[in-house]
Amino acid sequence: MLSIEVRKSFGRFSLDVSLTLERGVTVLLGPSGSGKSTVLKLVAGLVEPDSGEIVLDDLVYYRSKDRGKATVLPVHRRRVGYVFQHPALFPHLTVRENILYGVPRGDDRRQDLPELIELLQLGGLEDRLPRQLSGGQAQRVALARALITRPGLLLLDEPFSALDVLTRQKSRQYLRRVLNHRPIPTVFVTHDLEEAMMLGDRVVVMDGGKVLQHGPPREVFLRPKSHKVARFVGMRNIYRGVVRRITPDGLLDIQGEKFDVQVEGRPVRVGARVIFGIRPEDVLYLRPERTRQPRGNVLEATIASVLSQGFMYRLFLRVTDDLYDLEMLLPRHVVEKRRLKPGDLCRVCLPQSAVHLISVEEGA
Protein backbone atom coordinates (compact mmCIF):
# COMPACT_ATOMS: atom_id res chain seq x y z
CA MET A 1 0.00 0.00 0.00
CA LEU A 2 1.28 3.45 -0.93
CA SER A 3 0.25 6.33 1.32
CA ILE A 4 0.77 9.85 -0.02
CA GLU A 5 -0.04 12.95 1.98
CA VAL A 6 2.04 15.84 0.70
CA ARG A 7 2.08 19.55 0.01
CA LYS A 8 4.39 21.32 -2.40
CA SER A 9 4.38 24.86 -3.80
CA PHE A 10 5.97 26.10 -7.01
CA GLY A 11 5.32 29.84 -7.16
CA ARG A 12 1.59 30.25 -7.78
CA PHE A 13 0.98 26.51 -8.16
CA SER A 14 0.31 24.49 -5.02
CA LEU A 15 -0.03 20.72 -4.79
CA ASP A 16 -2.02 19.33 -1.87
CA VAL A 17 -2.67 15.59 -2.24
CA SER A 18 -3.84 12.93 0.19
CA LEU A 19 -4.15 9.41 -1.24
CA THR A 20 -3.97 5.79 -0.15
CA LEU A 21 -3.27 3.52 -3.12
CA GLU A 22 -3.81 -0.23 -2.95
CA ARG A 23 -2.04 -2.87 -5.04
CA GLY A 24 -2.65 -2.92 -8.77
CA VAL A 25 -2.55 -0.07 -11.30
CA THR A 26 -3.57 3.39 -10.16
CA VAL A 27 -4.05 5.89 -12.98
CA LEU A 28 -3.55 9.59 -12.31
CA LEU A 29 -5.83 11.32 -14.79
CA GLY A 30 -6.18 15.02 -15.44
CA PRO A 31 -5.40 17.92 -17.77
CA SER A 32 -1.88 19.23 -18.36
CA GLY A 33 -0.61 21.15 -15.36
CA SER A 34 -2.87 19.38 -12.87
CA GLY A 35 0.06 18.01 -10.83
CA LYS A 36 0.08 14.37 -12.00
CA SER A 37 3.76 14.18 -12.93
CA THR A 38 4.73 16.16 -9.84
CA VAL A 39 3.19 13.42 -7.67
CA LEU A 40 5.44 10.84 -9.38
CA LYS A 41 8.53 13.00 -8.86
CA LEU A 42 7.70 13.44 -5.18
CA VAL A 43 7.26 9.68 -4.74
CA ALA A 44 10.48 8.91 -6.65
CA GLY A 45 12.48 11.44 -4.62
CA LEU A 46 13.29 13.67 -7.59
CA VAL A 47 11.47 16.52 -5.85
CA GLU A 48 11.16 16.98 -2.07
CA PRO A 49 7.78 17.94 -0.60
CA ASP A 50 7.36 20.99 1.61
CA SER A 51 5.60 18.85 4.21
CA GLY A 52 3.71 15.60 4.73
CA GLU A 53 4.75 11.97 4.30
CA ILE A 54 5.10 9.23 1.69
CA VAL A 55 5.13 5.60 2.84
CA LEU A 56 5.23 2.37 0.80
CA ASP A 57 4.11 -0.48 3.05
CA ASP A 58 6.44 0.01 6.06
CA LEU A 59 9.15 1.89 4.18
CA VAL A 60 9.13 5.64 4.81
CA TYR A 61 10.19 7.52 1.68
CA TYR A 62 9.61 10.95 3.18
CA ARG A 63 8.36 12.38 6.45
CA SER A 64 8.46 16.03 7.49
CA LYS A 65 9.63 16.92 10.98
CA ASP A 66 6.13 17.96 12.05
CA ARG A 67 5.13 14.26 11.65
CA GLY A 68 7.88 12.92 13.89
CA LYS A 69 11.43 12.05 12.92
CA ALA A 70 12.26 13.85 9.67
CA THR A 71 13.09 11.35 6.92
CA VAL A 72 14.21 11.77 3.31
CA LEU A 73 15.10 8.39 1.83
CA PRO A 74 17.66 8.68 -1.00
CA VAL A 75 16.42 7.93 -4.50
CA HIS A 76 18.54 4.79 -4.92
CA ARG A 77 17.06 3.22 -1.76
CA ARG A 78 13.41 3.67 -2.73
CA ARG A 79 13.34 0.64 -5.08
CA VAL A 80 11.30 2.58 -7.62
CA GLY A 81 11.17 1.83 -11.35
CA TYR A 82 10.52 5.00 -13.36
CA VAL A 83 9.58 5.19 -17.06
CA PHE A 84 9.34 8.65 -18.60
CA GLN A 85 7.43 9.94 -21.62
CA HIS A 86 10.62 9.56 -23.68
CA PRO A 87 12.68 6.36 -23.29
CA ALA A 88 15.98 8.19 -22.50
CA LEU A 89 18.10 5.22 -23.60
CA PHE A 90 21.88 5.51 -23.71
CA PRO A 91 22.61 5.96 -27.44
CA HIS A 92 25.99 4.16 -27.34
CA LEU A 93 24.67 1.07 -25.54
CA THR A 94 22.86 -1.90 -27.08
CA VAL A 95 19.37 -2.97 -26.04
CA ARG A 96 20.86 -5.63 -23.75
CA GLU A 97 23.29 -3.15 -22.20
CA ASN A 98 20.57 -0.54 -21.70
CA ILE A 99 18.32 -3.02 -19.90
CA LEU A 100 21.13 -4.28 -17.66
CA TYR A 101 22.50 -0.82 -16.90
CA GLY A 102 22.60 -0.30 -13.15
CA VAL A 103 22.46 -4.01 -12.30
CA PRO A 104 25.98 -5.08 -11.27
CA ARG A 105 27.69 -8.13 -12.74
CA GLY A 106 26.97 -11.21 -10.65
CA ASP A 107 23.66 -9.78 -9.40
CA ASP A 108 20.98 -12.51 -9.66
CA ARG A 109 18.51 -9.95 -11.10
CA ARG A 110 20.39 -10.28 -14.39
CA GLN A 111 18.77 -13.72 -14.69
CA ASP A 112 15.45 -11.94 -15.38
CA LEU A 113 16.70 -10.68 -18.74
CA PRO A 114 15.45 -13.61 -20.89
CA GLU A 115 12.01 -13.48 -19.27
CA LEU A 116 11.66 -9.73 -19.87
CA ILE A 117 12.90 -10.08 -23.44
CA GLU A 118 10.18 -12.67 -24.04
CA LEU A 119 7.39 -10.80 -22.22
CA LEU A 120 8.07 -7.57 -24.09
CA GLN A 121 8.86 -9.31 -27.41
CA LEU A 122 12.32 -7.81 -27.77
CA GLY A 123 13.86 -11.02 -29.08
CA GLY A 124 16.34 -10.40 -31.91
CA LEU A 125 16.85 -6.78 -30.88
CA GLU A 126 19.34 -7.39 -28.06
CA ASP A 127 22.39 -6.16 -30.02
CA ARG A 128 20.73 -3.15 -31.67
CA LEU A 129 21.46 0.42 -30.73
CA PRO A 130 18.61 2.81 -29.81
CA ARG A 131 18.77 4.57 -33.18
CA GLN A 132 17.89 1.24 -34.82
CA LEU A 133 14.66 0.86 -32.82
CA SER A 134 11.13 2.06 -33.47
CA GLY A 135 9.44 4.28 -30.88
CA GLY A 136 7.44 1.40 -29.46
CA GLN A 137 10.49 -0.86 -29.23
CA ALA A 138 12.51 1.83 -27.47
CA GLN A 139 9.74 2.36 -24.92
CA ARG A 140 9.57 -1.38 -24.25
CA VAL A 141 13.32 -1.37 -23.63
CA ALA A 142 12.86 1.45 -21.13
CA LEU A 143 10.14 -0.57 -19.41
CA ALA A 144 12.38 -3.66 -19.27
CA ARG A 145 15.18 -1.52 -17.79
CA ALA A 146 12.82 -0.38 -15.02
CA LEU A 147 11.52 -3.89 -14.33
CA ILE A 148 14.84 -5.73 -14.17
CA THR A 149 15.68 -3.95 -10.91
CA ARG A 150 12.68 -5.76 -9.34
CA PRO A 151 11.19 -2.52 -8.06
CA GLY A 152 8.72 -2.38 -5.21
CA LEU A 153 6.86 0.34 -7.06
CA LEU A 154 6.58 1.19 -10.77
CA LEU A 155 6.01 4.80 -11.87
CA LEU A 156 4.97 5.47 -15.48
CA ASP A 157 4.78 9.08 -16.68
CA GLU A 158 2.74 9.12 -19.92
CA PRO A 159 5.05 6.49 -21.46
CA PHE A 160 2.97 6.01 -24.62
CA SER A 161 1.90 9.58 -25.41
CA ALA A 162 4.59 10.12 -28.07
CA LEU A 163 3.65 6.94 -29.99
CA ASP A 164 1.28 6.63 -32.92
CA VAL A 165 -2.19 5.20 -32.29
CA LEU A 166 -1.49 1.60 -33.36
CA THR A 167 1.84 1.41 -31.51
CA ARG A 168 0.24 2.93 -28.42
CA GLN A 169 -2.49 0.28 -28.43
CA LYS A 170 0.08 -2.51 -28.75
CA SER A 171 2.24 -1.01 -26.01
CA ARG A 172 -0.72 -0.96 -23.63
CA GLN A 173 -1.22 -4.67 -24.26
CA TYR A 174 2.46 -5.37 -23.57
CA LEU A 175 2.25 -3.44 -20.31
CA ARG A 176 -0.90 -5.25 -19.19
CA ARG A 177 0.73 -8.58 -20.06
CA VAL A 178 3.82 -7.76 -17.99
CA LEU A 179 1.82 -6.53 -14.99
CA ASN A 180 -0.39 -9.62 -15.07
CA HIS A 181 2.76 -11.72 -14.97
CA ARG A 182 4.53 -9.48 -12.46
CA PRO A 183 1.93 -7.79 -10.23
CA ILE A 184 3.95 -4.72 -9.20
CA PRO A 185 2.12 -1.77 -7.59
CA THR A 186 2.00 0.80 -10.38
CA VAL A 187 1.15 4.48 -10.66
CA PHE A 188 0.42 5.48 -14.27
CA VAL A 189 0.07 9.09 -15.40
CA THR A 190 -2.06 9.90 -18.46
CA HIS A 191 -4.65 12.31 -19.81
CA ASP A 192 -6.04 9.65 -22.18
CA LEU A 193 -9.48 8.40 -21.10
CA GLU A 194 -9.26 5.16 -23.08
CA GLU A 195 -5.88 4.39 -21.55
CA ALA A 196 -7.22 5.02 -18.05
CA MET A 197 -10.20 2.71 -18.60
CA MET A 198 -8.07 -0.04 -20.17
CA LEU A 199 -5.19 -0.12 -17.70
CA GLY A 200 -6.46 1.23 -14.40
CA ASP A 201 -7.71 -0.75 -11.43
CA ARG A 202 -8.36 2.68 -9.91
CA VAL A 203 -8.54 6.15 -11.36
CA VAL A 204 -7.59 9.37 -9.57
CA VAL A 205 -8.83 12.55 -11.27
CA MET A 206 -6.69 15.60 -10.52
CA ASP A 207 -6.88 19.27 -11.35
CA GLY A 208 -5.20 22.34 -9.92
CA GLY A 209 -2.95 20.28 -7.67
CA LYS A 210 -5.86 18.57 -5.91
CA VAL A 211 -7.67 15.23 -6.10
CA LEU A 212 -11.22 15.73 -7.37
CA GLN A 213 -12.37 12.10 -7.28
CA HIS A 214 -10.94 8.60 -7.11
CA GLY A 215 -12.31 5.08 -7.41
CA PRO A 216 -12.75 2.21 -9.88
CA PRO A 217 -12.73 3.44 -13.52
CA ARG A 218 -16.38 2.53 -14.12
CA GLU A 219 -17.49 4.45 -11.04
CA VAL A 220 -15.51 7.56 -11.93
CA PHE A 221 -16.49 7.54 -15.60
CA LEU A 222 -20.18 6.76 -15.11
CA ARG A 223 -20.76 8.38 -11.71
CA PRO A 224 -18.71 11.59 -11.58
CA LYS A 225 -19.22 13.58 -8.39
CA SER A 226 -18.77 17.09 -9.79
CA HIS A 227 -19.39 19.12 -12.93
CA LYS A 228 -15.63 19.45 -13.51
CA VAL A 229 -15.00 15.69 -13.27
CA ALA A 230 -18.01 14.94 -15.47
CA ARG A 231 -16.68 17.24 -18.19
CA PHE A 232 -13.21 15.77 -18.04
CA VAL A 233 -14.29 12.10 -18.21
CA GLY A 234 -16.45 12.70 -21.29
CA MET A 235 -19.97 13.16 -19.90
CA ARG A 236 -20.65 15.90 -22.42
CA ASN A 237 -24.42 16.13 -21.86
CA ILE A 238 -24.69 18.06 -18.59
CA TYR A 239 -27.72 20.08 -17.47
CA ARG A 240 -29.19 21.97 -14.54
CA GLY A 241 -32.66 21.35 -13.21
CA VAL A 242 -35.03 21.42 -10.25
CA VAL A 243 -36.54 18.38 -8.51
CA ARG A 244 -40.33 18.63 -8.93
CA ARG A 245 -41.36 15.48 -7.11
CA ILE A 246 -40.35 11.98 -6.05
CA THR A 247 -42.28 9.32 -7.95
CA PRO A 248 -43.87 6.31 -6.18
CA ASP A 249 -41.00 4.24 -7.66
CA GLY A 250 -38.46 6.49 -5.94
CA LEU A 251 -37.34 8.29 -9.10
CA LEU A 252 -36.44 11.97 -9.09
CA ASP A 253 -38.73 13.89 -11.47
CA ILE A 254 -36.56 16.78 -12.66
CA GLN A 255 -37.59 19.86 -14.61
CA GLY A 256 -34.48 20.46 -16.69
CA GLU A 257 -33.28 23.61 -18.36
CA LYS A 258 -33.77 21.99 -21.79
CA PHE A 259 -36.01 18.97 -21.13
CA ASP A 260 -37.54 17.04 -18.26
CA VAL A 261 -36.20 13.70 -17.04
CA GLN A 262 -36.71 11.06 -14.41
CA VAL A 263 -33.54 9.88 -12.72
CA GLU A 264 -32.47 7.12 -10.38
CA GLY A 265 -30.65 8.91 -7.61
CA ARG A 266 -30.05 9.45 -3.94
CA PRO A 267 -32.87 11.02 -1.91
CA VAL A 268 -33.11 14.73 -2.67
CA ARG A 269 -35.74 17.12 -1.36
CA VAL A 270 -38.38 18.53 -3.69
CA GLY A 271 -37.32 21.95 -4.94
CA ALA A 272 -33.59 21.17 -4.82
CA ARG A 273 -31.47 22.51 -7.67
CA VAL A 274 -29.39 19.73 -9.22
CA ILE A 275 -26.93 18.99 -12.00
CA PHE A 276 -27.48 15.82 -14.02
CA GLY A 277 -25.93 14.29 -17.12
CA ILE A 278 -25.64 11.36 -19.50
CA ARG A 279 -22.76 10.10 -21.61
CA PRO A 280 -23.26 10.35 -25.41
CA GLU A 281 -22.85 6.59 -25.84
CA ASP A 282 -25.73 5.97 -23.42
CA VAL A 283 -28.27 7.96 -25.46
CA LEU A 284 -30.38 5.41 -27.36
CA TYR A 285 -31.61 5.93 -30.90
CA LEU A 286 -35.20 4.67 -31.35
CA ARG A 287 -36.04 3.15 -34.71
CA PRO A 288 -39.03 4.90 -36.36
CA GLU A 289 -40.82 1.57 -36.88
CA ARG A 290 -40.63 0.73 -33.19
CA THR A 291 -44.13 0.77 -31.73
CA ARG A 292 -43.43 -0.33 -28.17
CA GLN A 293 -42.80 2.67 -25.92
CA PRO A 294 -39.47 2.20 -24.09
CA ARG A 295 -39.14 2.69 -20.36
CA GLY A 296 -37.19 5.89 -19.89
CA ASN A 297 -37.03 9.49 -20.97
CA VAL A 298 -38.12 9.75 -24.62
CA LEU A 299 -37.33 12.95 -26.52
CA GLU A 300 -38.28 14.20 -29.97
CA ALA A 301 -35.25 15.82 -31.57
CA THR A 302 -33.92 17.25 -34.81
CA ILE A 303 -30.47 16.24 -36.03
CA ALA A 304 -28.40 19.43 -36.14
CA SER A 305 -25.18 17.88 -37.47
CA VAL A 306 -23.48 14.53 -38.02
CA LEU A 307 -19.75 14.17 -37.40
CA SER A 308 -17.83 11.10 -38.56
CA GLN A 309 -15.32 9.72 -36.04
CA GLY A 310 -14.06 6.68 -37.87
CA PHE A 311 -16.24 3.70 -36.99
CA MET A 312 -18.55 5.86 -34.90
CA TYR A 313 -20.64 8.94 -35.63
CA ARG A 314 -21.29 11.77 -33.21
CA LEU A 315 -24.75 13.26 -33.71
CA PHE A 316 -25.66 16.68 -32.35
CA LEU A 317 -29.37 16.87 -31.60
CA ARG A 318 -31.58 19.90 -31.15
CA VAL A 319 -34.49 19.71 -28.70
CA THR A 320 -34.90 23.46 -28.15
CA ASP A 321 -34.06 26.44 -30.37
CA ASP A 322 -30.38 26.32 -29.36
CA LEU A 323 -27.64 25.32 -31.79
CA TYR A 324 -27.76 21.83 -30.26
CA ASP A 325 -28.82 20.34 -26.92
CA LEU A 326 -27.67 16.73 -26.84
CA GLU A 327 -24.83 14.58 -28.15
CA MET A 328 -25.28 10.95 -29.16
CA LEU A 329 -22.77 8.35 -30.37
CA LEU A 330 -23.91 5.76 -32.91
CA PRO A 331 -22.09 2.98 -34.78
CA ARG A 332 -21.31 3.74 -38.40
CA HIS A 333 -23.60 1.01 -39.75
CA VAL A 334 -26.63 2.46 -37.95
CA VAL A 335 -26.10 5.98 -39.30
CA GLU A 336 -25.42 4.78 -42.83
CA LYS A 337 -28.26 2.25 -42.92
CA ARG A 338 -30.74 4.83 -41.64
CA ARG A 339 -29.18 7.56 -43.79
CA LEU A 340 -29.32 9.94 -40.87
CA LYS A 341 -28.51 13.52 -41.84
CA PRO A 342 -28.95 17.10 -40.58
CA GLY A 343 -32.59 18.16 -40.55
CA ASP A 344 -33.99 14.67 -39.90
CA LEU A 345 -36.43 14.19 -37.04
CA CYS A 346 -35.72 11.36 -34.63
CA ARG A 347 -36.67 9.94 -31.26
CA VAL A 348 -34.12 9.12 -28.60
CA CYS A 349 -34.31 7.58 -25.15
CA LEU A 350 -32.31 8.61 -22.08
CA PRO A 351 -32.53 5.50 -19.85
CA GLN A 352 -33.30 6.39 -16.27
CA SER A 353 -30.42 4.24 -15.05
CA ALA A 354 -27.97 6.02 -17.36
CA VAL A 355 -28.93 9.57 -16.42
CA HIS A 356 -26.65 10.40 -13.53
CA LEU A 357 -27.33 12.87 -10.74
CA ILE A 358 -23.95 14.60 -10.60
CA SER A 359 -24.52 16.95 -7.71
CA VAL A 360 -26.97 18.98 -5.69
CA GLU A 361 -26.02 22.63 -5.92
CA GLU A 362 -24.98 24.38 -2.77
CA GLY A 363 -27.71 26.52 -1.36
CA ALA A 364 -30.38 24.34 -2.91
Side-chain angles (χ1 to χ4, degrees):
M1 181 175 69
L2 177 65
S3 175
I4 305 171
E5 188 174 346
V6 291
R7 285 160 295 284
K8 180 68 179 179
S9 294
F10 300 92
R12 295 183 178 180
F13 177 80
S14 294
L15 182 83
D16 189 347
V17 169
S18 180
L19 281 172
T20 300
L21 307 180
E22 303 294 337
R23 300 281 174 175
V25 180
T26 298
V27 173
L28 302 186
L29 184 67
S32 298
S34 60
K36 308 183 301 296
S37 296
T38 300
V39 171
L40 292 198
K41 292 174 183 176
L42 292 169
V43 172
L46 303 179
V47 174
E48 186 175 323
D50 294 333
S51 62
E53 67 177 14
I54 303 171
V55 181
L56 176 65
D57 296 329
D58 296 325
L59 182 62
V60 178
Y61 284 1
Y62 170 84
R63 178 172 287 151
S64 55
K65 60 182 180 181
D66 60 305
R67 300 291 184 102
K69 182 181 178 181
T71 303
V72 181
L73 196 67
V75 174
H76 68 276
R77 292 183 55 196
R78 297 194 181 200
R79 292 190 59 233
V80 168
Y82 205 132
V83 180
F84 298 88
Q85 182 174 347
H86 299 288
L89 302 180
F90 295 105
H92 62 290
L93 299 182
T94 66
V95 165
R96 180 185 294 104
E97 292 167 338
N98 264 287
I99 295 174
L100 293 174
Y101 186 84
V103 181
R105 292 185 181 278
D107 193 309
D108 67 351
R109 291 177 295 180
R110 284 180 165 247
Q111 299 173 10
D112 294 350
L113 181 62
E115 179 189 47
L116 290 173
I117 291 290
E118 192 278 327
L119 282 173
L120 291 166
Q121 293 193 4
L122 293 170
L125 306 177
E126 294 92 333
D127 296 319
R128 291 191 186 182
L129 295 172
R131 67 173 181 271
Q132 299 172 304
L133 303 176
S134 67
Q137 290 168 343
Q139 202 59 285
R140 299 204 304 274
V141 173
L143 180 58
R145 181 175 59 185
L147 291 170
I148 202 165
T149 63
R150 298 178 187 171
L153 180 67
L154 184 61
L155 305 178
L156 305 174
D157 194 355
E158 300 195 64
F160 309 138
S161 62
L163 305 177
D164 62 78
V165 174
L166 182 58
T167 305
R168 186 160 63 243
Q169 290 174 344
K170 289 182 178 180
S171 298
R172 292 169 183 163
Q173 296 296 334
Y174 286 129
L175 176 61
R176 176 48 70 185
R177 178 184 181 190
V178 169
L179 294 180
N180 286 341
H181 193 267
R182 290 184 164 208
I184 303 168
T186 301
V187 184
F188 188 103
V189 164
T190 186
H191 59 267
D192 187 298
L193 303 183
E194 180 182 350
E195 203 159 68
M197 182 65 81
M198 179 183 296
L199 296 174
D201 297 304
R202 288 164 306 281
V203 170
V204 177
V205 181
M206 294 183 61
D207 193 26
K210 299 184 182 302
V211 173
L212 302 183
Q213 185 175 344
H214 61 89
R218 184 175 179 83
E219 176 185 321
V220 174
F221 279 66
L222 300 183
R223 296 288 182 261
K225 294 181 179 179
S226 71
H227 189 287
K228 183 176 287 188
V229 173
R231 278 291 181 195
F232 188 76
V233 300
M235 187 172 281
R236 302 169 68 92
N237 300 310
I238 302 175
Y239 313 96
R240 298 181 184 277
V242 177
V243 178
R244 294 187 299 195
R245 68 186 183 99
I246 311 296
T247 72
D249 295 335
L251 299 173
L252 303 180
D253 190 348
I254 298 175
Q255 180 180 2
E257 58 187 333
K258 292 180 178 290
F259 45 79
D260 300 341
V261 293
Q262 290 188 341
V263 180
E264 294 179 358
R266 61 185 185 274
V268 175
R269 68 175 178 82
V270 173
R273 295 194 302 272
V274 298
I275 298 177
F276 63 95
I278 184 170
R279 298 186 65 87
E281 58 268 31
D282 289 332
V283 179
L284 304 180
Y285 170 75
L286 301 179
R287 302 186 307 273
E289 65 272 18
R290 177 171 178 165
T291 56
R292 184 179 177 183
Q293 185 76 357
R295 179 179 175 82
N297 306 290
V298 177
L299 302 176
E300 304 283 342
T302 301
I303 299 176
S305 59
V306 179
L307 177 64
S308 174
Q309 295 185 330
F311 296 107
M312 300 292 289
Y313 278 86
R314 187 176 296 271
L315 281 69
F316 297 83
L317 308 178
R318 188 165 54 243
V319 180
T320 68
D321 293 332
D322 285 347
L323 184 63
Y324 73 91
D325 304 295
L326 184 68
E327 292 186 30
M328 173 173 62
L329 279 178
L330 288 179
R332 175 178 55 83
H333 72 273
V334 173
V335 175
E336 294 180 356
K337 179 181 179 180
R338 298 286 170 177
R339 298 181 181 178
L340 299 177
K341 62 184 183 303
D344 286 353
L345 298 177
C346 66
R347 286 195 313 153
V348 296
C349 175
L350 282 54
Q352 295 161 346
S353 59
V355 181
H356 170 54
L357 184 67
I358 297 170
S359 64
V360 179
E361 294 187 308
E362 293 183 7

